[in-house]
Amino acid sequence: MLPFKNNILSWKVKAFTLSELLVVLVIIGILVLMALPVLMPLISRTRSIEAKQGLKHIYTLQKTYFYEFSRYSTDLEKVGFEQERLVTEGANGKANYRFEIISADAKTFHAKATAVVDFDGDGVYNVWEVDEDNNINEIVKD
């Protein structure tokens, strides 16, 4: 049985007030804003792993194509690469980079991964390239 006093309206439940909750939310918001500049380069670096992995995959596919046809291909579909839907193409998009083959001939090829998202909001989009020797280089830093 609940401990009632003489007047039922005098019964109180211990809880936080709205102003106390708002102060806590403001403090959490300030801490997040302080941590965000430190975390942004880390986020950009982890997203660049997608570009590196995709370019390594293109390199492997190009080598396989080269062994079969004695030349590199300028067409991603011919080598067997399928571009995943980009995040800018709708709700089902997951890829942050657009892949393309810049040039290819009998001895060399260059492929490029260009970010479709500006990770740190400075207007510069990240670009990576790979060549026939599997040299993966960051061309434009974000």
Side-chain angles (χ1 to χ4, degrees):
M1 182 159 40
L2 294 173
F4 289 110
K5 293 187 178 180
N6 293 337
N7 186 354
I8 196 164
L9 297 176
S10 66
W11 184 66
K12 291 187 177 184
V13 176
K14 292 186 178 186
F16 295 107
T17 63
L18 181 61
S19 59
E20 291 172 331
L21 291 174
L22 289 175
V23 168
V24 169
L25 289 175
V26 167
I27 291 171
I28 291 171
I30 291 170
L31 291 174
V32 167
L33 287 175
M34 288 172 44
L36 198 58
V38 174
L39 295 176
M40 285 308 291
L42 180 63
I43 292 169
S44 294
R45 243 184 324 193
T46 57
R47 297 232 171 126
S48 67
I49 292 172
E50 177 188 343
K52 291 178 191 176
Q53 290 298 327
L55 290 173
K56 284 180 186 179
H57 185 56
I58 290 172
Y59 167 79
T60 303
L61 292 172
Q62 282 280 35
K63 281 297 184 183
T64 303
Y65 187 88
F66 179 80
Y67 294 141
E68 188 173 348
F69 298 104
S70 299
R71 63 172 280 103
Y72 294 108
S73 175
T74 57
D75 187 6
L76 284 174
E77 288 184 21
K78 282 186 181 177
V79 297
F81 184 83
E82 292 183 27
Q83 172 72 53
E84 192 170 342
R85 286 182 58 115
L86 300 171
V87 293
T88 56
E89 293 177 345
N92 295 338
K94 296 178 184 174
N96 293 303
Y97 287 87
R98 176 178 287 117
F99 295 93
E100 60 185 321
I101 297 175
I102 301 169
S103 64
D105 57 31
K107 295 185 181 187
T108 64
F109 83 90
H110 284 85
K112 178 170 74 168
T114 305
V116 295
V117 177
D118 184 10
F119 300 123
D120 58 4
D122 63 355
V124 178
Y125 291 86
N126 194 226
V127 178
W128 290 81
E129 285 187 0
V130 66
D131 62 11
E132 70 282 350
D133 295 322
N134 201 19
N135 296 321
I136 298 175
N137 297 314
E138 187 174 25
I139 305 303
V140 179
K141 293 186 179 201
D142 185 18

